[in-house]
Amino acid sequence: MPEENKTRVVHPFTYPFAILKYHLIDKPIYALKRWAYEQNTVAPVSLPVNTAPAGEHSPPLVIPAATVQPQALPVSVPVQPIQQHPVERAFLELGIAVRVTEDFSGQLLDVVSIIPARGVRGNAIAGAATDLARILGVQSVRVVANGIHAGGKVGTMVLEISRCKSTRRMVWFEELIKSPEWRNTTAKLPVIIGVDVRGKIVIGDIARFPHAIIGGQTGGGKTAWIKTMLMGLALRLTPKDVQFIIISPKPQSYLPFANMPHLAKPVVTDMIQAARELNDLVIEMHRRFALFTVAGCEHITEYNAKVAPDKRVPAIIYLNDEVAAMVSDLKKAREKAKEEYARAVRKERERARIEKREPDEVEEEEIPDPTESILQLTRMAREAGIHCLFCTQLPYVSSISGEAKGNCPTRIGFLTENATNSISILSQGGAEKLMGEGDMLYSENGGGALRRVHGSFIDNPEIKRLLGGMKP
């Protein structure tokens, strides 16, 4: 028995797709086939008509050779593609349409300014940075959402493309201190940050910092940048204008600065002594506030302008090369001191019981906690002319509290191991994509946007030569 015909049910949502398929696929294909057929069709040949009288022999039909033109077969000619920028082609592979407006190739980076197509969100471009680096075959790509912050134009986004260049040029400290930007700067406590991606010299002012957190892993260029910062201030200002207090668990790193006349104290390498120096710095801060109150001044600039030159107070820059190591070592030292104190108390009680006398009082070694001192300095030391620079490889809350980090608006981030460390230093990612050896992200006084800068370098013989000509 034949099967009954069933009515085919068509879903109403299939009609729009069928119409789109007809207009976008079927119709263009039909037009293309018709055009190809017309191109390959041979035109009809007009033959001569026989006009001989009836009965006479007609001449043979001769077709002129020029009448029939053999048509060549269609040859597939490759279409020349439109010249596109490699970045545009890479984005097209990811399904994102952009237009390149500027391409600047520097010695360290390639800077490309782009304008996204209408409807393309900035988050889509920022999220495609890893895939873009893979397609372009480069080390990393950093996306700056607002091109103004990277030297671009309004409405653009900037891509900072890090290439592995064997001809990487070193930025020397001696070249920067001879530049007109450094000679003509009006900063009170000027410091050479480095050179940005477009070759411009970046100069900061520690007086505007007023405190900073500097972080990065080993080999990122943190210590080298600190040396250039110290040398820039030492060459620009006298010991009556600025003094340094350097805390470092690595004594060999600052051996060339041992005879620097700007050092308020020798470089401190013992962490217990470093905690005491912090307490002394807090005492000095309150002493200065007392002087300002008597003189009727609010801050150090007003006080130095009011008093005689011999009574002026210098600015103090407290530099802690590894604050996380200091806090960790002091914590272990306090725990060890407590254990020794408890052991000494037990021994004294046992000795007193045997000798049948009252136990003597055991003196406990007091090891200060630097956390409270750091918090006080970051809160109030700016007006006293004291500026703190905290350097670390592990900027965790255990080493620097959240409130203390909030009081340090200037951030300098060198190469980090992962994005988590970058967020701890800069409050955002990006430092994990740096190239190392002085490559940094810099934000002064909470400016918000991070600026890509490459720090300068100075070797120890050059430091000794420059310091040798200074007068104490």
Side-chain angles (χ1 to χ4, degrees), residues 107 163-169:
Q107 186 67 25
R163 299 185 181 273
C164 301
K165 295 187 176 181
S166 58
T167 59
R168 185 174 178 178
R169 175 180 170 271

Side-chain angles (χ1 to χ4, degrees), residues 451-463:
R451 192 172 181 181
R452 186 82 171 265
V453 183
H454 192 80
S456 59
F457 178 79
I458 183 172
D459 53 8
N460 291 338
E462 183 69 13
I463 294 175

Side-chain angles (χ1 to χ4, degrees), residues 396-418:
Y396 299 145
V397 179
S398 58
S399 57
I400 303 177
S401 63
E403 184 177 355
K405 289 178 65 176
N407 295 332
C408 300
T410 299
R411 306 294 176 86
I412 301 176
F414 293 86
L415 177 64
T416 58
E417 185 178 359
N418 49 49

